[in-house]
Amino acid sequence: MAGCTEFVDDPTDARLAPFRLRRDADLGLVVLEGELVLRAALAAGLLPTTVVATGRWVDRLADLHLHLLVVPQAVLDELAGYPLHRGLVAVAPRPAPLTVGDVAAGASTVVVLEGLNDTE
């Protein structure tokens, strides 16, 4: 995947639409917030369609070769609806659900959390 960096300072820019619409469950998107979550998602095979970050992330994410939209912190906060202190958010297509057998295969312990929305 070839990476490039574009600078966006308009929160109404069409390239940022997935973040303005992210509350719509019918879009079939997963929101990835922060570097560790993004890297874990990539390792699991999820390919983000849009990655938005503040300028401090450009060099740190260069090894991922992603298309990065760089925005001012104020634009990122407006998109999130709150101060996004991690400075990095992405969206990826939601993968097909796994069966219980798929999830539990080879596991010695399984934790089931119903209705989990915010891990913090």
Side-chain angles (χ1 to χ4, degrees):
M1 155 179 5
C4 74
T5 302
E6 294 183 77
F7 295 91
V8 179
D9 61 2
D10 179 2
T12 65
D13 189 294
R15 294 169 291 182
L16 302 176
F19 299 95
R20 286 191 296 279
L21 302 172
R22 73 189 184 287
R23 291 175 187 89
D24 186 349
D26 294 333
L27 288 178
L29 298 175
V30 175
V31 177
L32 312 165
E33 183 182 338
E35 180 183 11
L36 294 177
V37 173
L38 175 62
R39 288 183 182 274
L42 288 165
L46 274 136
L47 296 176
T49 55
T50 310
V51 181
V52 176
T54 57
R56 68 186 173 106
W57 289 100
V58 172
D59 290 336
R60 189 164 177 152
L61 298 177
D63 65 305
L64 299 178
H65 307 288
L66 296 170
H67 181 183
L68 181 64
L69 299 177
V70 179
V71 298
Q73 184 68 47
V75 171
L76 191 60
D77 292 347
E78 185 174 329
L79 289 174
Y82 57 91
L84 192 65
H85 65 278
R86 288 183 182 96
L88 165 65
V89 67
V91 292
R94 183 174 299 281
L98 299 173
T99 66
V100 173
D102 291 338
V103 174
S108 60
T109 304
V110 176
V111 177
V112 177
L113 303 170
E114 185 177 351
L116 183 65
N117 186 10
D118 185 348
T119 58
E120 291 185 55

